[in-house]
Amino acid sequence: MRWTRGFKAGVVLAAAVLGLAACGGGSDQSAAAGKGGNPIVVASFNFTDSQILAELYSQALEAKGYPVTRKFNIGSRELVYPSLKSGELQFIPEYQGAAISTGFNQDAPKDADSEHAKLAELLKPSGVGLLNYAPAENKNTYIVKSDLAKQQGLTKISDLKKLDKVVLGGPPECGTRANCFVGFRDTYKLNVTFQSVQEAGPRLEQLKSGAVTVIPVDSVSPPTADSDYTVLQDDLNIVATENIVPAVNQKVLDERGPDFAAAVNAVSAKLTTPELRDLNKQVDSDGDTVTDVAKGWLSKQGLA
């Protein structure tokens, strides 16, 4: 799971996990070849764009005649991966870099093709395959207030050396991670201190007030498109790419065949980062439902 994300309140993870056994996706209830048969069990992590992505793929598959069972809001990879391996869950939109670093505790390559190849290799022993990755990615991104950026000429993280002191506000994990505080200190060689702020909303308030200089946000979150904030280029590449990629139980891939893969890949091919940001905004800021947002996007793309 990506550690900068703010999670929806009221998710009952234990209930989600206990419910997996009844979802009809176990190895003894595997999907029949082609269309029809037992539903394909599509899962999501418990944050907005993961739910949107899972819904996009679910509706696109249903439009092609594939039955789907949704198991959304499950939680972290620690909960998802064992069920994906067992076949209780069969499909989840993943984030390549985070899947490698968090799911397998390994260093992620810095480009999407290499990440795809490495993640495929890591997942193969678990009986999980990858389809094509999307142009869209959701990665940890660093923002400062735009008035400070203009005053000091800040366009990239290394420009923070222009400041006498930098305060990085982030979740507790940030303090020990190479793609956050440790990277600011050791890779960028900044005079930086770390302030732990657990939730995304309060971190943004700390940035607004000037209590912190810079914070991590998701690259598809509304602040990245807000003129009040400036996204700093990660010029020394401490953050891996996070292209969206469908991870699918290999048995499902084998049994469903090339038409299934083509239906999924058609969605991935159309997904861009700005579009994913807009989809997130429609849900988180405008209050539209994930179902309606996904339906509208697929219709616009001619995929449903």
Side-chain angles (χ1 to χ4, degrees):
M1 174 181 301
R2 291 276 309 290
W3 48 270
T4 61
R5 296 211 170 95
F7 302 137
K8 298 280 187 182
V11 177
V12 185
L13 297 182
V17 175
L18 290 172
L20 294 181
C23 70
S27 58
D28 59 336
Q29 298 179 2
S30 60
K35 299 178 182 179
N38 293 319
I40 298 156
V41 186
V42 179
S44 85
F45 301 117
N46 59 336
F47 47 83
T48 300
D49 61 285
S50 180
Q51 296 168 49
I52 293 171
L53 290 164
E55 185 64 27
L56 287 172
Y57 289 113
S58 294
Q59 289 190 26
L61 287 170
E62 288 171 334
K64 294 294 185 181
Y66 297 97
V68 168
T69 292
R70 291 161 174 80
K71 291 290 179 180
F72 294 179
N73 275 329
I74 289 174
S76 68
R77 289 182 178 86
E78 288 81 2
L79 292 172
V80 170
Y81 273 28
S83 297
L84 193 64
K85 182 177 180 179
S86 72
E88 292 175 352
L89 299 177
Q90 298 173 327
F91 185 124
I92 190 164
E94 255 294 11
Y95 304 81
Q96 291 191 154
I100 294 168
S101 61
T102 305
F104 294 93
N105 198 29
Q106 296 197 23
D107 292 334
K110 300 300 185 184
D111 67 278
D113 286 342
S114 298
E115 281 185 345
H116 191 272
K118 182 166 185 174
L119 183 57
E121 179 184 348
L122 291 169
L123 286 171
K124 187 174 182 180
S126 297
V128 178
L130 296 181
L131 292 175
N132 295 350
Y133 67 83
E137 61 176 324
N138 187 0
K139 62 193 287 185
N140 298 331
T141 301
Y142 293 91
I143 63 171
V144 297
K145 291 171 67 176
S146 289
D147 55 1
L148 177 66
K150 291 172 184 174
Q151 291 166 9
Q152 301 294 332
L154 308 178
T155 62
K156 51 189 183 294
I157 295 176
S158 59
D159 287 336
L160 292 170
K161 286 184 178 179
K162 299 175 181 179
L163 307 180
D164 293 334
K165 184 178 180 181
V166 174
V167 180
L168 170 61
E173 304 95 320
C174 171
T176 60
R177 300 211 174 182
N179 61 355
C180 201
F181 173 68
V182 174
F184 274 52
R185 182 191 65 198
D186 297 347
T187 302
Y188 280 101
K189 309 294 184 184
L190 299 173
N191 178 20
V192 60
T193 57
F194 175 62
Q195 182 170 316
S196 177
V197 187
Q198 176 68 55
E199 299 296 333
R203 285 200 297 272
L204 191 62
E205 291 302 317
Q206 291 283 313
L207 183 65
K208 287 180 183 178
S209 72
V212 302
T213 315
V214 56
I215 63 170
V217 296
D218 292 341
S219 59
V220 298
S221 65
T224 62
D226 189 327
S227 60
D228 288 340
Y229 307 104
T230 294
V231 173
L232 297 179
Q233 178 192 350
D234 177 23
D235 49 315
L236 296 183
N237 297 316
I238 62 171
V239 180
T241 59
E242 296 287 6
N243 293 77
I244 310 302
V245 64
V248 188
N249 181 278
Q250 188 62 52
K251 189 174 182 181
V252 171
L253 289 174
D254 293 341
E255 290 178 339
R256 296 293 183 167
D259 287 348
F260 170 85
V264 175
N265 288 336
V267 175
S268 299
K270 298 282 190 178
L271 278 170
T272 66
T273 300
E275 286 177 329
L276 187 54
R277 182 182 298 115
D278 182 62
L279 294 174
N280 274 267
K281 176 183 176 295
Q282 290 178 48
V283 174
D284 282 343
S285 298
D286 301 343
D288 296 335
T289 68
V290 168
T291 301
D292 287 345
V293 167
K295 183 178 180 179
W297 186 86
L298 289 166
S299 177
K300 185 174 115 178
Q301 302 297 332
L303 296 172

